[in-house]
Every structure is written in structure tokens, then in C-alpha cells.
Amino acid sequence: MSTQSGIKKQVPYLFSVLKATAFSTYKEWAAYRSQMAVTIFVGPVFFLTQMFIWRAVYATRTTLNGLTLEQMLTYYGIISVIGYLTYDSADWDLQWLIRTGSFLTFMLRPVSHCYYAFAQKIGHRLLALWVELLPIYLIFFFVFKIPLVPAEPGWALLSLTFSFVLVFLTNYCIGLSAFWLTKTEGIRRALLVLLDLCAGMLIPLTFFPTGMQKVLFYLPFQFISYVPTRVFIGHYELAGITLSIPQVVGLQLVAILVMFALYRLLWHLGIKRFTGVGA
Amino acid sequence: MKTNLRIYLAGVKTALASRMAYRGDFLMSMLIMLLVEMAAPLITFLIYENGATFPGWNMYEALLIQGVFLLGKGIAYPFFFGIVWNTIERVREGTFDLLLIKPKSVLFMAIVTAFDSEDLGKLIGGVTLFTLSLKRLPAPGWGEWLQFFLLFAVTLMVLFGYGLIMAGLGIVWIGNFRVYDIFSSITNFGLYPTAIFSKPLQTIITLIIPIAILGSVPATVLLGRPSAGTLGAVGVGLLFLLFSLVFWQWMLKKYTSVGG
Amino acid sequence: MLITVENLAKEYKSYQRGNSFGEAVKSLFVRKPLYIQALKGISFKIAEGELVGFLGPNGAGKSTTLKILTGILYPSSGKVDIMGYTPWRDRKSYVAKIGAVFGQKSQLLWDIPPIDAFYLNKAIYAIPEREFKRTMDQMVELLGLGDLIRKPTRQLSLGERMKCEFIMAMLHKPEIVFLDEPTIGLDVIAKDRIREFILEMNKTGVTFILTTHDLSDIEHLAQRVIVVNHGEIVFDNSITTLRRHLGEKKIIAVSTVHPLPDLALPGINITNRISPFQAELELDLTVFELNKFIALVNKTSTIRDLSVREPQIEDVIKVLYQLR
């Protein structure tokens, strides 16, 4: 059998796995939609605090760090919406599988666990799309009057997709650390906090001291939410560096490739360790 | 009272022993518990660092509010706020029953079995932030300290009330840890000077839902410029505690009539 | 009487919840209450020093009864008097005098040795140091645990953990101990040891009430059996009476050379007709004598093989469980 026809068979197969997994995850989580819907309350309340903080800060000035009040609020609006779109718990799920050993059952399946987990994420986010994202979007748009319309829809969509994949790969790599650490709660949470901070979830990265901005520019974290937010707004800037939208989205793709390589490496080493111990 | 204290200490001891089984992770978790609370102080710091302000407040005054807030959380989380996760987890796993076969009140047992050592990180953070910012501010007099401690006692009572309501919700809303998200979203208002909010919102967080009492009400007393409605906030705080106790009893009654 | 239960009833009210989104939304406004009769007014008495086993299929009302007796749940109606207490009303003072082991709910703490958990109970029940030591040593000895109580719980086997659960539940010397499936998932040796322990403690005057699905628990332990089904007591008597409950019956398996005759005769109850040549049946000896049965079958079909056995306790239980 030539590889050509092998691939031809492989693609519909992988797609059907994706569809089936995503669908079953969707149904599984639909039972917990009331928990998910808590976001409809929590999200806007958090945003309300942000609004008052920045209103107070801007009371005596029109721009701060080159941003107007409206731009600032738009930044927070977009970044939280992106958060709901790209969130996943791949790290937690994976470390649980590894720690309990249930991970072994995946070694017997013809699809890699990573692919399976990614399909799960798609199913989970599809549910979140109407339970969390849509209501939040409408509240932000109509109640808070945040102009949540991308400057260049095509690029924004591409950047969001990249972010979706990148968040998954990053979390998956964090989850893989369970191969080496017996109890990973602490480290995992540390990484997640660091991630929030370095990805610009708390405050635009341009607020950090210049030296730190330079470091952040070379770290992959900015591509998770800072970059897509900037692409959404239509203007990218960090550490005094301004890049065009296609350039920065291109860099995002590079970040994905790097993260994917890291995943393959960790996976390889982890499996070796897993089977080596004979657990 | 003495036996109860002995029981509580025995609970703390077993919880510490359990946690020490994973020492490395414990220290890391403690650090993280501190770091996750640093978001608001960091934002505040960066705002002032970039030359902006909350009008009428210098940075240390704003940080003092957050220090008081964190101090309250730092005491509540390790020592009694664990009733929230303890109840949610036990109800979900069916082990809540085990608290009911002990010859003490269920609430007391829920507190005894919920000491959370890693949250001591929050306490360390609270003490640090509180003292660091107070050092940069004019020293409060004795009277101000006295008022502060009285108000701070109410802060702790209100936090206990929140814990009771969340734990009570955990009995009927099975396995839902998102009560923590709800809690942190509404109390987020308490991290900043009350004056930055709109007038109606100020009234809501001072005199309807006790949020300002968690930070700015006690902190402003130390700054020598008490917030408007301080007395009202105290009254609301005490009523809130009363309400939460009734709510907890009500939810408990629900549990004992359905049985998990 | 140590325990008196009269007309104990428990009705749960739950709400029907729809599966589809539309139904879920609708259920926010109109909710159809659904009443479930878990207990339909049961009565029994238990004397001091008895060892009583509760049997019943899943959902029969066993756990509900046990939860009410331990003060965890309050009933819809009925009276319970245990040592002068009403469990759900006098919960705190009452539970100080009882112990409970739940096979599926551990009171130990996973990451620390059982002995540390024992100390927590020592504080909760305010047990004096000397008495605590004496009771603990005695039970550790009886269960053959040795130094295992000083190893982290997570390193113990299921059987060792269950033994520790017993110590945990009995350190304060309860007069009554409730056991909910205490031998679930244990190996034969651990089961034996725990049963010996229960019998030993029972001799010292402790009353035990246990629920189980393991009939050998009942056979080894209980002098008295209460069978609950559909919220009612369908049997309450000694284990020997339970065995004889089906009357003078034999269980017969027969296979023949020629097809079996139509066996629909009084006194014969076919439980399983495997093929035209093979069947299992219950024979009521008061109606149909054994030699006549054998003669009949041999004449019509020529017996190839035949076995006769006493009804097992399982058979009796099956009959009781199937009662409507």
C-alpha cells in the first residue's frame, strides 16, 4: 500500500474520530451547563470592576501608555472573550490520567491521546460557545458598549484559531509534567498564574517595565492572548516594537510549531519513563 | 470550649501531617496561594508606576486596602473558609454523612476537618502587604488601631458568613466549585477604594452586600479618614452573618431530609 | 429493649427534570413533584447484645433505615427510640454512644497513618488517654494489625484499612455499632478476621446492626435476619428459620436421554428449562415425593444424570426479593 492511499484513508478516519469525540464530549458536558453558565454572571461582574478602576484612572487624563479609556476597556473585553473561546483543562485531565494510570488505556488505541484530547476540547468549547461566549459577547456589546468587532476579520479569525491550538499545546505540555512529578498541583498552578500574567490577561503587557517587556517579547506566552487581542484591535506593539498583523500572526504559527516540537519531545521522554518503570 | 479548642487543634495537626506528605508541593502551593492574590496589588502598582493614579489616593493607601483584604482572607482561608471545599467535596462523595455521626455540631466538624495549610501563604502575603504599605503612611494612633481591630473583627465575621453561604450552596448545588468564582467576582469590588465606584454601587457594596467591609472600611479608619456609612456597614455585616447562619441551618435541614 | 422502631416511614420528594433544553426551561416554572416511598412504615425491636443483619436488594430501603437509625436522616413519620434517644432529634448526645463503619466511606485520612486519625477521634469523643491506649491496643491485637497503624494509610491494603476503620469507629466504646457493607471488596482471609472481631466484640455486649449484600456475612454473623424489600419488612426471624422458609424443598437438576415430559404438576416448579433434555426445578416434598419424581422421569425419558441439593440461602433470598 502506498503512503498516498494510506493518507487518503487516514484523513476521513481522523475526521470521524474528531467528530465522534467532540460530539460525545459536548453531550457529556451539557449536563453541567448550569455550572458553565455561572460565567454569565461572573464575567460581567469582573468586567464591571475593571470599568470602574480604569474610569477612575482616566479621570485626570485622556491617554495612558498610548491607550484611551475606550481602547483600554476594549482590550479587557476582547481578552476575556478570547479566554472563553480558548480555555481548556487539558493539563488537569492529562495529569489525572497519568497519575491514576488510566492513561494506559489510551496506549491501546489507534489514535494518539493528544489528538483525542484536542477533539475533546473542540466539543467542550462548542458547548461553551452558546452557554458562555454568546451571552457574554452580547452583554459586552450591548450593555457595556464595547465595540467587539475585529479590525480585520480574516486575520483575527486566523489568530484566534492559532491561539486555540496554542493554549491546548501549552496546557498539554504542562500536563505531561505529571510523568516526572508525583504531585503537581503546586507547579501547575504556578505555571498557570505565570501564564495569565505573561499573556496579558491581567494588564496589557505594555504596562510592564521596558526590560521585562523585552523578555516577554521573546517568550511564547504573548501569543496566547496578548497577540490575538492586538490582532483583533488591528495594531500590534510590545517592547517598543511594532509589527504588521501578517507578521505577528506568522510568528504565532512559529510559536505553535515550537510548542508542538516541545510536546513531541516531552511525550517521547515521558513514555520512555512510564514504560521503563513498568508502572 | 476547652475541648472544642483541643478538637480544633487536633484537626489542624492531622491536616498539617497530611499536607507534609508532599513537602515540596506544599511549599510551592503556599507560594502560589500568595501569588494568585497578588493580581490586584500588581495592577495597582503598575498603574502608579505608569504615572497614573486613583484620584485622591496615593499608591500606599490603595495598597493598604488590598493588604487588609488579603489579611482577612489570609486568616479566613486556612482557619475556617475550608468549610466550602470540604462541604462540596463531602456531599459529592457521600462522606458528608461522616460528619453527622460525630457528637459535635456539623458546622464545627466541617471546620475541624477543613484546615487548609497551604492558604497560610495568603496570610503571609497579607501581613507583608499590610505592614509594607502601612510603613509608608503616617502612623495611626491608638484610637485608630482600636477602631480598626473592631472593624476587622466584623470583616472576619462577614467572611465566615460568605463561607457558610457558599458551603450551604454546595449542599444543594452538587459538586459546583464555581461558587468560588462567584465569591471572588463580587468581592473584587472590595479591593479598591470605595470612592472610585459610582454612588449607587457604593451604596450597594457598603449597605446592602457587605463588600466594602472586607477592605476599604477597616483600612480607611487606619488612614484617619473613615468611609461614609461605616456604622451602617457594621450593622449590615452582622445581619449578614445572622442570615448566613440561618441559611446554613436551612440547607443542612434539606440535606438531612433527603440524605445526599 | 435497646432499640424500638414503630411505623417508620420515609417519603422522598424529588422533581422530574427533563432531558431536553426545552423541558429543563419548563421545569423552572412548572415542576412535577415525584414522591418515592422509601420506607412504608416498618416496625421492629432489637435487644441489647443482638447481632442483626439487614438484607435487601438495591433500593429496598436498607440504607434509608440505617441512615435514620444513625441520626443522619430524619423520617417522614414514625417513632424510633434507641437507648432513650430519638436519633435525629438528640443527634449529638446520641451519636456519642454509637459507632458506624461505612464500607464505602472512609473515616481514615489517606496520607497519614491511621493512628493519627485515631487521635483526632480521641479529641472529638474526649476519650481519656489511658482508656484510649487500652482500647486501641486491645483492638489492634484482636485484629492482628501490629505496627501497621503507624504506616501511611495509602500504603495499607484494603483489608488492613477496613480493620482500621473498625478501630476508628469503636475507640469510644459505643454500645451499638452500625455496619454498612463492612466486608465489601475484601479477600476471604480479611473477611474472616473481621467477622471474628465482630463476634468477639459482640460477646462483650456490643450490639451490632449490619447491612450487607454478602450472604456469607449473614451466615457467619447474624443470629437474626431482617429482610427489607420495597420499603417493607418481608422477613424477620432467625437464620435457621430463614433456611426453612421455603419449606421441605429440594433443588433438582436433571438430564435425560429422551425428551422430558410436561412437568407442570403440583409440587414441581421448573426454574430453568435448558433444553428438551435438561431442566432445573424445585420439588416440594410435602406434595411430591422424591422417589415418585425420579420414577416418573426415568419411565418417560430415561435419566442420564440427576443431582439433588438442599436449597441454599441464596434461593430463599431470591424468593423473598421477588415478592411484590
Side-chain angles (χ1 to χ4, degrees):
Chain A
M1 190 170 62
S2 72
T3 36
Q4 189 76 45
S5 73
I7 288 169
K8 259 188 195 158
K9 262 190 205 155
Q10 194 70 2
V11 170
Y13 167 69
L14 283 178
F15 187 70
S16 75
V17 169
L18 183 89
K19 225 170 63 180
T21 311
F23 186 66
S24 70
T25 310
Y26 179 95
K27 288 206 87 171
E28 203 182 317
W29 279 93
Y32 299 100
R33 58 180 178 266
S34 81
Q35 297 198 10
M36 209 182 234
V38 167
T39 305
I40 301 171
F41 173 80
V42 170
V45 171
F46 266 119
F47 189 78
L48 200 64
T49 333
Q50 293 288 2
M51 215 169 82
F52 281 112
I53 294 172
W54 295 107
R55 264 195 198 163
V57 168
Y58 278 93
T60 53
R61 60 203 306 142
T62 47
T63 63
L64 176 60
N65 234 321
L67 294 170
T68 63
L69 175 61
E70 204 199 2
Q71 284 171 327
M72 194 68 169
L73 293 180
T74 309
Y75 177 87
Y76 279 106
I78 296 168
I79 208 156
S80 55
V81 166
I82 290 178
Y84 299 127
L85 192 72
T86 59
Y87 168 86
D88 69 58
S89 55
D91 55 329
W92 198 93
D93 301 344
L94 182 58
Q95 67 86 25
W96 189 83
L97 288 176
I98 294 174
R99 245 193 13 202
T100 57
S102 359
F103 174 74
L104 275 172
T105 60
F106 285 94
M107 301 289 287
L108 307 171
R109 297 189 189 183
V111 194
S112 81
H113 176 260
C114 185
Y115 183 75
Y116 174 79
F118 186 66
Q120 277 188 315
K121 174 174 180 172
I122 292 178
H124 192 247
R125 286 300 97 191
L126 275 177
L127 181 69
L129 205 63
W130 67 268
V131 179
E132 291 183 326
L133 193 71
L134 191 68
I136 292 277
Y137 188 93
L138 293 176
I139 291 171
F140 278 6
F141 202 96
F142 290 107
V143 180
F144 295 123
K145 309 260 190 268
I146 304 299
L148 289 175
V149 183
E152 292 170 75
W155 286 110
L157 194 67
L158 193 62
S159 182
L160 284 175
T161 313
F162 285 168
S163 167
F164 187 88
V165 178
L166 194 60
V167 169
F168 173 75
L169 284 174
T170 313
N171 283 339
Y172 199 84
C173 285
I174 294 174
L176 282 174
S177 67
F179 277 125
W180 291 272
L181 307 160
T182 42
K183 186 139 174 154
T184 56
E185 267 309 292
I187 305 233
R188 271 184 353 91
R189 271 191 296 208
L191 279 170
L192 292 177
V193 170
L194 199 72
L195 218 97
D196 272 4
L197 190 67
C198 301
M201 296 292 270
L202 294 180
I203 196 160
L205 297 181
T206 44
F207 271 72
F208 286 108
T210 330
M212 208 173 149
Q213 284 188 41
K214 283 199 176 117
V215 176
L216 287 174
F217 184 82
Y218 291 104
L219 289 178
F221 303 120
Q222 61 153 325
F223 299 104
I224 286 174
S225 46
Y226 183 71
V227 165
T229 306
R230 286 301 201 161
V231 171
F232 202 98
I233 293 171
H235 173 78
Y236 174 84
E237 188 196 324
L238 182 65
I241 303 164
T242 316
L243 293 172
S244 74
I245 295 305
Q247 272 174 327
V248 78
V249 174
L251 281 177
Q252 221 185 346
L253 184 62
V254 174
I256 287 180
L257 295 177
V258 170
M259 212 35 124
F260 187 77
L262 183 66
Y263 144 67
R264 293 303 304 175
L265 181 73
L266 286 176
W267 173 265
H268 184 73
L269 295 174
I271 289 293
K272 230 181 180 173
R273 193 184 148 86
F274 196 71
T275 46
V277 176
Chain B
M1 195 61 215
K2 220 172 138 193
T3 17
N4 282 0
L5 194 65
R6 193 173 302 146
I7 296 172
Y8 182 75
L9 288 177
V12 171
K13 235 171 88 182
T14 46
L16 272 174
S18 290
R19 203 59 187 84
M20 284 310 152
Y22 308 94
R23 224 160 299 203
D25 189 70
F26 169 67
L27 289 174
M28 182 60 103
S29 295
M30 207 158 106
L31 188 71
I32 294 312
M33 282 309 163
L34 167 84
L35 281 184
V36 290
E37 298 299 330
M38 283 300 147
L42 184 76
I43 292 174
T44 308
F45 175 78
L46 288 176
I47 286 173
Y48 281 86
E49 195 70 358
N50 279 274
T53 60
F54 295 129
W57 298 77
N58 73 37
M59 184 172 83
Y60 293 105
E61 289 170 336
L63 286 178
L64 186 70
I65 294 174
Q66 292 162 3
V68 171
F69 188 96
L70 190 49
L71 200 59
K73 248 182 152 176
I75 293 171
Y77 269 63
F79 295 106
F80 57 76
F81 217 72
I83 46 171
V84 180
W85 57 256
N86 196 20
T87 306
I88 297 177
E89 242 169 59
R90 280 178 182 272
V91 169
R92 189 180 54 185
E93 280 157 23
T95 49
F96 194 74
D97 288 353
L98 297 177
L99 302 184
L100 281 132
I101 56 162
K102 294 282 155 51
K104 290 280 160 191
S105 88
V106 181
L107 178 56
F108 181 65
M109 284 314 300
I111 294 172
V112 165
T113 52
F115 177 74
D116 205 337
S117 48
E118 58 197 54
D119 276 324
L120 287 171
K122 289 193 196 326
L123 184 57
I124 295 169
V127 171
T128 314
L129 190 62
F130 182 74
T131 28
L132 282 184
S133 35
L134 202 60
K135 257 191 181 162
R136 306 295 182 103
L137 295 165
W142 282 109
E144 281 149 1
W145 273 112
L146 182 69
Q147 286 178 50
F148 170 76
F149 280 117
L150 287 175
L151 288 173
F152 190 66
V154 181
T155 304
L156 292 179
M157 287 182 216
V158 168
L159 281 169
F160 187 60
Y162 277 110
L164 281 175
I165 292 175
M166 288 159 72
L169 281 174
I171 291 177
V172 286
W173 206 359
I174 290 162
N176 198 338
F177 280 94
R178 296 212 69 188
V179 286
Y180 279 101
D181 290 343
I182 299 176
F183 172 70
S184 54
S185 74
I186 53 178
T187 53
N188 206 23
F189 294 113
L191 281 164
Y192 301 92
T194 316
I196 70 166
F197 302 113
S198 66
K199 276 274 172 309
L201 192 58
Q202 283 184 32
T203 312
I204 291 173
I205 64 174
T206 313
L207 297 174
I208 296 177
I209 309 168
I211 295 170
I213 187 82
L214 299 179
S216 53
V217 170
T220 45
V221 166
L222 275 185
L223 296 172
R225 43 196 249 214
S227 323
T230 298
L231 226 55
V234 170
V236 169
L238 296 177
L239 276 178
F240 181 76
L241 179 65
L242 207 65
F243 165 79
S244 66
L245 281 165
V246 172
F247 182 78
W248 165 262
Q249 286 304 331
W250 181 37
M251 290 297 126
L252 198 61
K253 180 117 196 197
K254 269 198 158 155
Y255 182 86
T256 52
S257 88
V258 184
Chain C
M1 274 294 141
L2 191 69
I3 301 177
T4 311
V5 174
E6 277 169 33
N7 285 318
L8 192 65
K10 177 74 192 172
E11 187 180 68
Y12 293 112
K13 187 165 130 190
S14 71
Y15 292 98
Q16 260 176 335
R17 228 192 289 172
N19 291 320
S20 76
F21 181 69
E23 284 172 66
V25 170
K26 212 178 120 193
S27 72
L28 286 176
F29 305 101
V30 220
R31 295 202 295 179
K32 249 190 233 160
L34 211 68
Y35 294 97
I36 301 154
Q37 289 275 332
L39 288 178
K40 298 173 187 162
I42 62 170
S43 307
F44 58 87
K45 285 188 164 82
I46 293 172
E48 198 177 329
E50 271 198 89
L51 214 170
V52 182
F54 270 85
L55 272 177
N58 293 326
K62 272 179 315 187
S63 327
T64 304
T65 311
L66 204 72
K67 277 185 175 177
I68 293 173
L69 295 187
T70 48
I72 292 171
L73 202 64
Y74 64 79
S76 312
S77 65
K79 258 180 67 181
V80 175
D81 181 313
I82 305 180
M83 302 179 283
Y85 298 101
T86 302
W88 59 94
R89 221 187 43 219
D90 317 315
R91 191 184 64 81
K92 273 192 274 182
S93 36
Y94 165 68
V95 293
K97 301 201 162 184
I98 64 159
V101 175
F102 298 97
Q104 318 250 44
K105 299 169 188 177
S106 176
Q107 299 204 53
L108 302 169
L109 297 151
W110 188 244
D111 287 315
I112 59 173
I115 189 164
D116 290 350
F118 298 163
Y119 270 102
L120 182 59
N121 260 16
K122 172 180 177 285
I124 292 170
Y125 291 96
I127 310 166
E129 178 73 24
R130 281 185 56 189
E131 198 187 316
F132 170 78
K133 275 256 158 63
R134 202 175 51 225
T135 320
M136 183 175 70
D137 290 346
Q138 187 195 346
M139 287 197 281
V140 167
E141 172 76 32
L142 211 52
L143 286 163
L145 277 166
D147 253 355
L148 286 172
I149 55 165
R150 290 184 174 78
K151 267 175 62 174
T153 305
R154 70 186 128 88
Q155 292 174 16
L156 303 182
S157 73
L158 187 63
E160 290 159 354
R161 286 208 298 269
M162 192 50 78
K163 289 175 188 169
C164 292
E165 298 282 356
F166 270 86
I167 299 183
M168 188 83 177
M170 296 185 67
L171 275 171
H172 58 290
K173 295 193 170 167
E175 290 170 46
I176 308 174
V177 176
F178 294 90
L179 308 171
D180 189 15
E181 306 202 32
T183 57
I184 194 161
L186 300 187
D187 64 57
V188 197
I189 294 172
K191 267 185 194 173
D192 265 357
R193 195 77 192 227
I194 283 175
R195 285 171 187 156
E196 266 168 44
F197 173 81
I198 295 172
L199 288 173
E200 203 62 42
M201 296 310 289
N202 183 238
K203 271 186 208 149
T204 68
V206 180
T207 308
F208 282 89
I209 292 163
L210 76 146
T211 72
T212 182
H213 280 298
D214 188 343
L215 292 171
S216 60
D217 275 352
I218 297 284
E219 284 184 291
H220 284 93
L221 291 172
Q223 297 120 14
R224 179 176 160 199
V225 187
I226 297 178
V227 183
V228 186
N229 200 6
H230 302 294
E232 285 166 316
I233 291 179
V234 291
F235 180 90
D236 178 2
N237 212 317
S238 72
I239 190 101
T240 18
T241 319
L242 181 65
R243 272 218 187 84
R244 264 187 267 128
H245 186 73
L246 291 182
E248 290 284 298
K249 284 190 181 163
K250 296 280 181 202
I251 307 293
I252 296 175
V254 62
S255 70
T256 52
V257 178
H258 305 295
L260 282 161
D262 179 26
L263 289 168
L265 298 165
I268 298 177
N269 176 24
I270 299 174
T271 48
N272 190 5
R273 195 182 262 275
I274 300 158
S275 74
F277 308 95
Q278 223 181 343
E280 281 168 17
L281 49 92
E282 251 173 43
L283 191 67
D284 190 340
L285 300 187
T286 54
V287 185
F288 213 117
E289 282 166 35
L290 185 60
N291 59 347
K292 283 189 181 151
F293 172 79
I294 296 174
L296 170 78
V297 177
N298 203 26
K299 204 172 92 193
T300 55
S301 324
T302 313
I303 293 173
R304 187 205 294 271
D305 190 13
L306 180 131
S307 75
V308 181
R309 66 175 174 87
E310 294 290 325
Q312 303 260 303
I313 198 161
E314 276 92 348
D315 302 313
V316 184
I317 293 298
K318 265 185 226 159
V319 171
L320 286 173
Y321 280 12
Q322 279 154 12
L323 286 179
R324 262 267 126 196

